[in-house]
Amino acid sequence: MYTLPKIERFNQNVLQKYHIYNSVFITLPFDAIDNTGVLLPLFAEVCDAGFKKNWSPKQIVDFFADKYLDMASEETKIDLMFRFIQYVERQIVLFDAIEDAAFPVVNNLEGRGSLRDIKEKSEAKDKHEELISFLENFSVRTVLTAHPTQFYPGSVLGIITDLTEAIRQNDLFLIKKLLAQLGKTPFIKKEKPTPFDEAVSLIWYLENVFYQTIGEMMLYMQKNIFDGNTIENSIINLGFWPGGDRDGNPFVTPEITEKVAKRLRTSILKCYYFDIRVLKRKLTFNKVDTIIANLEYKLYRSVFYSQGELFISLAELNNELNIVKQIIINDHQSLYLDEINMLLQKINEFGFHFAALDIRQNSRIHNVVFNDISAFLKREKEVYFPENFETLSEENKMNFISELHFDLSNHFFENEITRSTLDTIKLIREIQEQNGEKGCNRYIISNNESALNVIETFAMFRLLDWENPTVDIVPLFESVDDLHHAHEIMEQLYKNTTYRNHIKHRKDKQTVMLGFSDGTKDGGYLMANWSIFKAKEMITEVSRKYGIKVIFFDGRGGPPARGGGKTHKFYASLGSTIENQEIQVTVQGQTISSNFGTIDSCRYNLENLLSAGVANAVFNKDENNLSTSDKAIIDELAAIGYQKYVDFKSHDKFIPYLEEMSTLKYYSKTNIGSRPSKRNASEQLNFADLRAIPFVSAWSQMKQNVPGFFGVGTALKQFETNNQWEKVQKLYDDSLFFRTLLENSMMSLAKCFFPLTAYMKNDAAFGEFWQIIYDEFSETKRLLLKIAGHKELMENYPDGKASIAMREQIVLPLLTIQQYASSQINEIKKHKAGDEKLLNAYEKLVTRSLFGNTNASRNSA
């Protein structure tokens, strides 16, 4: 029997099931809901038909009220819209659960990009030994961040998990019960989560998904690729930002960081304890039973009866299990050997840290801290400072600072920021003593603009009596300008003798982080992506020149506008001119739950990332390298797109449009993340202080997705107008990098819906500005379809296209309600008169509809 095409599997296992289970859900008798379930489908039909007739959201709501609500007051309409929002939010959860349940059916877990595919390709191409050699040094690190793009509270995530399993089992009775539970469970968090709350939420994924998935992957590789030999290299690593990411979050304190580190250690010990309990029931043989029982007892005490005290070391756990392994092989015919090997591989991957806790802080904060330290050292005359220090060149300042010697460990600083920063550095050392070096061994400097930023941070470690810190200092380059100069900054660092010795102590490896989010916000889609690519090439070149292996850590968000989209294809497209030692990438918000929320999806996406690295280094090698002429074309495209975006950003209506017509100002009112939505607390909106997530999300809520496409159409059109289209067409056909870049932009376009905001084109203040956006969208869509040879967007990903279409259909009532409420607010404010109570109700409608709109997209922010 032939396997059905992917789109047919999606239709059968997702779309059809959704319609069946939604019909059950929408007829459930909820208290105080009355006939909402009957009216919602009617409202959805009116929305769909209304937008096809070019109606505004207000016309749609008024028509619906006149036809179905019998002289309803505005308060009655608002009350019904709140109930519609509650229903649609739960429909989105239902669709999420059905997609998750169908994941292994719709996607081929053993197909292209899988571990099995890697193994078979290596054998077919006679590259088995080369593959082993590569995997002995290569690794993938997924770093879970606490960026606020996930609106589901823990109780709802639990229901999704249970509902997914019930759907997988086709248990209609349990499904109905869970849908009823879903209908009665609040979706709104009454209070903002603390950074520790965020950490606990994400640790759930570590314990319930990543732990098992990575263990199984490592065992598969051990048995099928490494010929049964133990894998010494930690191939799949986890990173963790909640509790360590201080950038713009005043609530992340040293106390929080310490608490999170302890929770991570307790969580991994608990995972080991449960695995040992399972082993104890199987290893009932002579000699091994007592060893296993002793390990169980020590782990139990370490997890449940300790106040931070450990009753077993990592070395002891490893050694004892290896003794068990040898006894099993020698005396018991290798019975349950796979289970022991899997646990040993898990211990190798996770140690006593589970996930490496990264520390991140902004360079501007470091400047304040270092100035405070310098002032103290000068004032107390503890060390000699040149009188002309402030006027020295950057290189001379670096040389002086890198040689500073003094112990500030016991000095008390009045400035809280200085004290907190230095206490955090001291804490890193303590975490390493408790959880192992991997527990916390990276310090990331966001907004890194100079080599001096890195040296100042490095000096702070040494000034706390840590001469050779077992910590990687990681500069994060984000703005287009910083990306252009990143290789020069890295060369300055490599030339500094003291810092070069530090890198030598770190095995001649230097990690560099590159941020997509702020790059796109700063320079537009094409320029940001191309600037990162070129920065990687130039940093690779300069690092190789100094004998240093550079490791790139990509700060990617969910949507293409923030570096998301087809991530594995992006990594597979990089050629040999970019270092491929590791793939490191941030994962956040809905991307965690959608791409790594179940064991199947986690395995699929981790294997695809691993496969991308293998394909690039073992199978394709130099095939993806761009030629000089290819680069010249992308250079020109990026420059044209950049100018178009900069002109757009400089438009006098740009900031007012975001403030008045988008949901930007409502983002801070949602209790979804511990971090403020702006870096600056001032009331006035400053573009530089605006975080990338609310910026991208604001465009997404309007279904305009500007950061994911603006400037692309203008750039392509210039080649078409100048009769040079064949150049970009050939580049698209031949280059996986360029094709992936444009395909990801197509995804942004596919999630646009301009009829929703078409009423704005008649607005006296913003009509012209709206038209600029729409014209660029139309041109980008036309030319991307032309270059791909398609009639519709995402034509080559029919299941992805169908998923997006269904989600957009489900969420259309929410989008309509949000725009209706927003237009009503603007009318009240325009006339400076209106019912304050109504105004508050409309603002709550806008805020409440944020939740479902974002969750439905799964990668909208």
Short mmCIF file of all heavy atoms in Angstrom, two decimals, residues 43 47 81 84-86 88-89 92 756 810-819 845 848-854 856:
data_model
loop_
_atom_site.label_atom_id
_atom_site.label_comp_id
_atom_site.label_asym_id
_atom_site.label_seq_id
_atom_site.Cartn_x
_atom_site.Cartn_y
_atom_site.Cartn_z
N PHE A 43 -20.83 34.44 12.97
CA PHE A 43 -19.96 35.62 12.95
C PHE A 43 -18.76 35.37 12.04
O PHE A 43 -18.35 36.26 11.28
CB PHE A 43 -19.51 35.96 14.37
CG PHE A 43 -18.63 37.18 14.46
CD1 PHE A 43 -19.10 38.42 14.04
CD2 PHE A 43 -17.33 37.09 14.94
CE1 PHE A 43 -18.29 39.55 14.11
CE2 PHE A 43 -16.52 38.21 15.01
CZ PHE A 43 -17.00 39.45 14.60
N CYS A 47 -17.64 37.59 8.82
CA CYS A 47 -16.28 38.13 8.68
C CYS A 47 -15.70 37.78 7.31
O CYS A 47 -15.18 38.65 6.59
CB CYS A 47 -15.37 37.60 9.77
SG CYS A 47 -15.74 38.19 11.43
N MET A 81 -18.51 39.68 22.16
CA MET A 81 -17.18 39.60 21.55
C MET A 81 -16.16 39.01 22.53
O MET A 81 -15.28 38.26 22.12
CB MET A 81 -16.75 40.99 21.07
CG MET A 81 -17.42 41.38 19.76
SD MET A 81 -16.75 42.90 19.01
CE MET A 81 -17.72 44.14 19.85
N PHE A 84 -16.78 35.37 22.31
CA PHE A 84 -16.20 34.85 21.07
C PHE A 84 -14.70 34.61 21.24
O PHE A 84 -14.16 33.59 20.80
CB PHE A 84 -16.43 35.83 19.92
CG PHE A 84 -17.81 35.81 19.32
CD1 PHE A 84 -18.26 36.85 18.52
CD2 PHE A 84 -18.68 34.75 19.55
CE1 PHE A 84 -19.51 36.84 17.95
CE2 PHE A 84 -19.95 34.72 18.99
CZ PHE A 84 -20.37 35.78 18.20
N ILE A 85 -14.02 35.59 21.86
CA ILE A 85 -12.58 35.47 22.07
C ILE A 85 -12.27 34.21 22.88
O ILE A 85 -11.36 33.44 22.55
CB ILE A 85 -12.02 36.71 22.80
CG1 ILE A 85 -12.02 37.92 21.85
CG2 ILE A 85 -10.60 36.47 23.30
CD1 ILE A 85 -11.71 39.25 22.53
N GLN A 86 -13.05 33.98 23.95
CA GLN A 86 -12.83 32.80 24.80
C GLN A 86 -12.99 31.51 24.00
O GLN A 86 -12.21 30.57 24.16
CB GLN A 86 -13.81 32.81 25.97
CG GLN A 86 -13.52 33.91 26.98
CD GLN A 86 -14.58 33.98 28.05
OE1 GLN A 86 -15.79 33.90 27.78
NE2 GLN A 86 -14.15 34.11 29.29
N VAL A 88 -12.70 31.14 20.61
CA VAL A 88 -11.67 31.01 19.57
C VAL A 88 -10.34 30.59 20.18
O VAL A 88 -9.62 29.76 19.61
CB VAL A 88 -11.52 32.33 18.78
CG1 VAL A 88 -10.34 32.25 17.81
CG2 VAL A 88 -12.80 32.62 18.00
N GLU A 89 -10.00 31.15 21.35
CA GLU A 89 -8.76 30.74 22.02
C GLU A 89 -8.72 29.23 22.22
O GLU A 89 -7.68 28.59 22.05
CB GLU A 89 -8.67 31.42 23.39
CG GLU A 89 -8.25 32.87 23.35
CD GLU A 89 -8.27 33.51 24.73
OE1 GLU A 89 -9.04 33.05 25.60
OE2 GLU A 89 -7.50 34.45 24.93
N ILE A 92 -8.19 27.24 19.02
CA ILE A 92 -6.77 27.23 18.64
C ILE A 92 -6.05 26.13 19.41
O ILE A 92 -5.21 25.40 18.85
CB ILE A 92 -6.13 28.60 18.92
CG1 ILE A 92 -6.72 29.66 17.98
CG2 ILE A 92 -4.61 28.55 18.74
CD1 ILE A 92 -6.51 31.08 18.44
N LEU A 756 -8.04 43.05 6.22
CA LEU A 756 -8.34 43.35 7.62
C LEU A 756 -8.15 44.83 7.93
O LEU A 756 -8.93 45.42 8.70
CB LEU A 756 -7.41 42.51 8.52
CG LEU A 756 -7.53 42.73 10.03
CD1 LEU A 756 -8.84 42.16 10.55
CD2 LEU A 756 -6.35 42.10 10.75
N ILE A 810 -9.52 30.19 11.63
CA ILE A 810 -9.98 30.10 13.01
C ILE A 810 -9.89 31.45 13.71
O ILE A 810 -10.79 31.86 14.45
CB ILE A 810 -9.15 29.05 13.80
CG1 ILE A 810 -9.41 27.63 13.25
CG2 ILE A 810 -9.49 29.09 15.29
CD1 ILE A 810 -8.44 26.58 13.80
N VAL A 811 -8.82 32.16 13.44
CA VAL A 811 -8.53 33.40 14.18
C VAL A 811 -9.17 34.63 13.55
O VAL A 811 -9.15 35.71 14.16
CB VAL A 811 -7.00 33.57 14.30
CG1 VAL A 811 -6.41 34.30 13.11
CG2 VAL A 811 -6.61 34.25 15.60
N LEU A 812 -9.79 34.50 12.38
CA LEU A 812 -10.37 35.66 11.70
C LEU A 812 -11.35 36.45 12.58
O LEU A 812 -11.31 37.69 12.59
CB LEU A 812 -11.03 35.23 10.38
CG LEU A 812 -11.50 36.37 9.47
CD1 LEU A 812 -10.33 37.24 9.04
CD2 LEU A 812 -12.22 35.81 8.24
N PRO A 813 -12.24 35.79 13.33
CA PRO A 813 -13.12 36.58 14.22
C PRO A 813 -12.34 37.41 15.24
O PRO A 813 -12.73 38.54 15.54
CB PRO A 813 -13.96 35.49 14.92
CG PRO A 813 -13.98 34.35 13.96
CD PRO A 813 -12.62 34.37 13.32
N LEU A 814 -11.25 36.85 15.77
CA LEU A 814 -10.44 37.60 16.74
C LEU A 814 -9.81 38.82 16.10
O LEU A 814 -9.78 39.91 16.69
CB LEU A 814 -9.31 36.72 17.29
CG LEU A 814 -9.62 35.68 18.36
CD1 LEU A 814 -8.32 35.24 19.01
CD2 LEU A 814 -10.55 36.21 19.40
N LEU A 815 -9.28 38.65 14.90
CA LEU A 815 -8.65 39.76 14.19
C LEU A 815 -9.67 40.87 13.93
O LEU A 815 -9.38 42.06 14.08
CB LEU A 815 -8.07 39.28 12.86
CG LEU A 815 -6.93 38.26 12.95
CD1 LEU A 815 -6.66 37.66 11.58
CD2 LEU A 815 -5.67 38.90 13.50
N THR A 816 -10.86 40.45 13.54
CA THR A 816 -11.94 41.41 13.26
C THR A 816 -12.31 42.17 14.52
O THR A 816 -12.46 43.40 14.50
CB THR A 816 -13.17 40.68 12.70
OG1 THR A 816 -12.77 39.85 11.60
CG2 THR A 816 -14.23 41.66 12.22
N ILE A 817 -12.47 41.44 15.61
CA ILE A 817 -12.81 42.07 16.90
C ILE A 817 -11.73 43.06 17.32
O ILE A 817 -12.02 44.17 17.77
CB ILE A 817 -13.02 40.99 17.98
CG1 ILE A 817 -14.31 40.21 17.70
CG2 ILE A 817 -13.05 41.59 19.38
CD1 ILE A 817 -14.45 38.94 18.52
N GLN A 818 -10.48 42.67 17.17
CA GLN A 818 -9.37 43.53 17.57
C GLN A 818 -9.37 44.83 16.77
O GLN A 818 -9.23 45.92 17.34
CB GLN A 818 -8.04 42.81 17.38
CG GLN A 818 -6.84 43.57 17.92
CD GLN A 818 -5.55 42.82 17.70
OE1 GLN A 818 -4.96 42.88 16.62
NE2 GLN A 818 -5.09 42.10 18.71
N GLN A 819 -9.54 44.72 15.45
CA GLN A 819 -9.54 45.92 14.62
C GLN A 819 -10.79 46.77 14.85
O GLN A 819 -10.73 48.00 14.81
CB GLN A 819 -9.42 45.53 13.14
CG GLN A 819 -8.04 45.11 12.72
CD GLN A 819 -6.99 46.18 12.95
OE1 GLN A 819 -7.22 47.36 12.71
NE2 GLN A 819 -5.83 45.77 13.44
N LEU A 845 -10.66 44.54 24.99
CA LEU A 845 -10.89 43.67 23.83
C LEU A 845 -9.61 43.53 23.01
O LEU A 845 -9.25 42.43 22.57
CB LEU A 845 -12.00 44.23 22.95
CG LEU A 845 -13.44 43.86 23.28
CD1 LEU A 845 -14.39 44.59 22.33
CD2 LEU A 845 -13.69 42.36 23.19
N ARG A 848 -7.11 41.41 25.05
CA ARG A 848 -7.49 39.99 25.13
C ARG A 848 -7.30 39.27 23.81
O ARG A 848 -6.91 38.10 23.77
CB ARG A 848 -8.95 39.88 25.58
CG ARG A 848 -9.17 40.09 27.05
CD ARG A 848 -8.64 38.95 27.92
NE ARG A 848 -9.53 37.80 27.89
CZ ARG A 848 -9.27 36.67 27.26
NH1 ARG A 848 -8.14 36.52 26.61
NH2 ARG A 848 -10.12 35.66 27.28
N SER A 849 -7.56 39.98 22.71
CA SER A 849 -7.43 39.32 21.41
C SER A 849 -5.97 39.09 21.00
O SER A 849 -5.69 38.30 20.11
CB SER A 849 -8.14 40.13 20.32
OG SER A 849 -7.65 41.45 20.28
N LEU A 850 -5.04 39.79 21.69
CA LEU A 850 -3.61 39.55 21.44
C LEU A 850 -3.24 38.09 21.65
O LEU A 850 -2.46 37.51 20.91
CB LEU A 850 -2.77 40.39 22.40
CG LEU A 850 -2.45 41.85 22.06
CD1 LEU A 850 -1.87 42.55 23.28
CD2 LEU A 850 -1.46 41.92 20.93
N PHE A 851 -3.80 37.50 22.70
CA PHE A 851 -3.42 36.15 23.12
C PHE A 851 -3.67 35.13 22.02
O PHE A 851 -2.77 34.43 21.58
CB PHE A 851 -4.19 35.75 24.38
CG PHE A 851 -3.88 36.58 25.59
CD1 PHE A 851 -4.37 37.86 25.72
CD2 PHE A 851 -3.08 36.08 26.61
CE1 PHE A 851 -4.08 38.64 26.83
CE2 PHE A 851 -2.79 36.85 27.73
CZ PHE A 851 -3.29 38.13 27.83
N GLY A 852 -4.94 35.05 21.60
CA GLY A 852 -5.29 34.05 20.58
C GLY A 852 -4.62 34.29 19.26
O GLY A 852 -4.18 33.35 18.59
N ASN A 853 -4.51 35.57 18.85
CA ASN A 853 -3.87 35.89 17.58
C ASN A 853 -2.43 35.41 17.54
O ASN A 853 -1.95 34.88 16.53
CB ASN A 853 -3.90 37.40 17.33
CG ASN A 853 -5.30 37.92 17.06
OD1 ASN A 853 -6.20 37.16 16.72
ND2 ASN A 853 -5.50 39.22 17.23
N THR A 854 -1.72 35.60 18.64
CA THR A 854 -0.31 35.19 18.70
C THR A 854 -0.19 33.67 18.76
O THR A 854 0.60 33.07 18.03
CB THR A 854 0.38 35.82 19.92
OG1 THR A 854 0.30 37.24 19.81
CG2 THR A 854 1.83 35.41 20.01
N ALA A 856 -2.20 31.43 17.71
CA ALA A 856 -2.63 30.77 16.47
C ALA A 856 -1.51 30.69 15.45
O ALA A 856 -1.40 29.72 14.70
CB ALA A 856 -3.82 31.52 15.88
#
